[in-house]
Amino acid sequence: MLVTSARALQQPARHMQRMGLRTARPLLFRATTPASLFGDEVPNPTHVPQPPANRIKGSYHWMNERAVTLLSVPLLATAFVYGPHAINDMLLGIVLPVHAHMGFGSVLLDYFERRRWPVISRVLKYALFGITGLAMFGAWRINTTDVGLTAYFSRLWNANKTQKTKE
């Protein structure tokens, strides 16, 4: 059982002296070494394992997204200037679904991380591949059996104008 007197409680301890600016300055500006912060377990950057390079992740992925985006600009400009053309429609049927796939893939990577949502992220990733495949198949069907993507979107764009002129 610990018994302390009232007088001992009222007096501050000797090691807890009042610290002013002059006494605190050496403590504030003292250089700290990693050993004083971490003890004996100082992190050594030479022993940190590096993941293997992957062309799908990192800057290659970013460059591929920008390349697909830049590819779509002249294709869309050609469609606006020259109108429907079979080669341009086929290239649009490939580039536009791939562009949408990469964009939605980035959204899935940001909001459904694999380490946090392992099952949902995998299901959504495969669903995205399936939807992209269906979009490419639909674009191929429009291009081969119908009027082509450019004429199809032109009809959709002008649908209200043609209904108003018929009435």
Side-chain angles (χ1 to χ4, degrees):
M1 185 167 158
L2 184 64
V3 178
T4 57
S5 67
R7 186 174 181 199
L9 290 175
Q10 290 175 355
Q11 292 178 349
R14 293 180 195 249
H15 66 278
M16 295 179 68
Q17 63 183 348
R18 185 175 176 164
M19 192 175 290
L21 184 61
R22 289 184 183 175
T23 56
R25 191 176 349 169
L27 296 174
L28 291 175
F29 299 109
R30 184 178 60 184
T32 58
T33 61
S36 66
L37 293 174
F38 298 106
D40 293 336
E41 298 178 11
V42 178
N44 190 352
T46 59
H47 296 297
V48 176
Q50 295 295 324
N54 190 351
R55 289 196 177 268
I56 295 176
K57 296 181 180 177
S59 62
Y60 291 112
H61 184 68
W62 185 87
M63 288 188 322
N64 292 339
E65 286 179 350
R66 298 309 171 262
V68 168
T69 303
L70 289 176
L71 252 165
S72 65
V73 172
L75 291 174
L76 290 172
T78 304
F80 280 119
V81 172
Y82 294 111
H85 192 272
I87 295 173
N88 193 34
D89 286 344
M90 279 296 183
L91 290 174
L92 280 173
I94 295 169
V95 170
L96 291 180
V98 168
H99 176 72
H101 176 84
M102 288 181 153
F104 282 116
S106 296
V107 170
L108 292 179
L109 282 175
D110 288 342
Y111 291 106
F112 296 99
E113 297 178 33
R114 201 160 117 198
R115 64 184 166 87
R116 188 167 183 196
W117 307 92
V119 176
I120 293 174
S121 67
R122 186 171 290 146
V123 167
L124 290 175
K125 182 179 78 168
Y126 290 131
L128 179 64
F129 276 105
I131 291 169
T132 302
L134 285 174
M136 288 179 132
F137 177 72
W140 176 76
R141 290 287 293 186
I142 289 172
N143 284 332
T144 56
T145 61
D146 205 358
V147 293
L149 281 178
T150 306
Y152 182 77
F153 285 120
S154 176
R155 285 182 183 179
L156 283 176
W157 189 268
N158 297 322
N160 286 337
K161 293 177 187 176
T162 57
Q163 283 181 356
K164 288 180 183 178
T165 57
K166 287 181 182 179
E167 293 174 353

